[in-house]
Amino acid sequence: MEFLTHFSTQKDPQSIIGELLKKTTRSYDLAVLFYANHDVGSMNKFISSLVNSFGIKNLIGCTACGVIGDSVEYEKGPSLSMALLKTPHVKISTFAL
């Protein structure tokens, strides 16, 4: 299994795609996403871009009051913490709550 983690305090979620593209252009089977203080409409566009840019097959995530990244908890301002995983030979089934 391979994985990539990323943390960002970018206000514009689309800028986060640019940050990720500097790290990788691979496709991933699963994205785990936690985000705080972002506009919901812009996050919907971000998620769509994330799935399309990295071929993500499954996504789980939630909003939060703050997220942890770089060994610090960020509560004031936008922040996003994520893990992208490549899981060969593993079947993943997601569902909505």
Side-chain angles (χ1 to χ4, degrees), residues 1 7 9 13 35 40 44-45 49 51 54 66 74 77 93:
M1 179 165 60
F7 176 78
T9 57
Y35 62 95
V40 173
N44 287 337
K45 290 178 186 175
S49 293
V51 168
F54 299 99
Y74 289 86
S93 298

Side-chain angles (χ1 to χ4, degrees), residues 8-23:
S8 181
T9 57
Q10 289 283 343
K11 182 173 178 130
D12 175 23
Q14 290 304 115
S15 298
I16 299 167
I17 297 292
E19 291 175 346
L20 283 167
L21 286 170
K22 290 177 184 176
K23 288 182 164 184

